[in-house]
Amino acid sequence: MQPPGLLRAGPWLSWAVSRCGLEPRPPGKRWLVAGLGNPGMPRTRHSVGMAVLGQLARRLGVAESWARDRRCAADLALASLGDAQLVQLRPRRLMNANGRSVARAAELFGLTAEEVYLVHDELDKPLGKLALKLGGSARGHNGVRSCISCLNSNAMPRLRVGIGRPPHPDAVQAHVLGCFSPTEQELLPPLLERAADLLLDHIRERSRGPSSGP
C-alpha cells in the first residue's frame, strides 16, 4: 500500500520512503541533494537551486518522477548513480523554512548532514560562476541558515550558483526575488549543465570512498 503523504511515486520511491529506517538500505551510498528556493517562484534568481535540481533530474532520467511527500513538505525524485542513490528534493516551504523540509527528509532516509548537498543562489558570485563549498557558515543566506539550524550542523556540502549582486544595497531584495532577464536566461542552460556536472562528479568521487591502493 502506498504510504500516506506520498501522492505520486514510482516503486523505488515508495519503497525508500516507506521503509527507510525500518529495513537495511540497499547496497551503495545514498545522498540527498536539495535545491533551495521558494515554491511557486521557479524562474527567480533566488530559486536557481531548484532549476539546477530540474536539470539534474533530466540528466538522470527522472524528470517525470517528482512526487510530493507531505511529511517533509517537499517534492522528491529518486535516481541511481552507479551504485549510489540520489534523493533529489525541492522544498514546498518558503526559503526561510527550507531547512525543515531538508531535515525531515534526511531523517526519513537515515542521512547525516555530511550526506546532504545544498544547491542555492550566491549573491557574491557573478552569474555563470559556480563554487562547491564544504560546510561552513550560511554567509547571510536564509535558506542555508534554516538548514544549519534544523540539521543542527553546518557540515553540508553546498553548490553555490552565482546570481550577481546589484550595485545598490537597496536593490538586493528585488534582484534576488526577481526573474532572470532575457540576457541572463540565455546563460542559464549551459550554467545548469555545468552545475549538474559538478554535483555528479563530486558525488561519484565521494561514493567511491577513500582509495584502497598504496
Side-chain angles (χ1 to χ4, degrees), residues 121-144:
D121 58 302
E122 175 56 63
L123 272 168
D124 291 327
K125 291 192 176 298
L127 183 66
K129 296 295 184 180
L130 301 168
L132 195 61
K133 176 178 170 63
L134 303 179
S137 70
R139 296 173 59 90
H141 193 286
N142 289 332
V144 176

Side-chain angles (χ1 to χ4, degrees), residues 1-26 30 67-72 76 78 85 87 104-110:
M1 178 180 294
Q2 181 168 292
L6 193 63
L7 297 188
R8 176 175 172 266
W12 185 10
L13 184 52
S14 298
W15 177 88
V17 176
S18 63
R19 301 195 182 199
C20 66
L22 300 180
E23 297 180 2
R25 69 174 66 178
R30 179 182 290 149
R68 182 176 180 180
D69 190 296
R70 293 188 185 277
R71 290 167 297 175
C72 55
L76 304 178
L78 269 68
Q85 302 165 21
V87 181
R104 179 60 174 142
E107 179 185 12
L108 286 171
F109 287 92

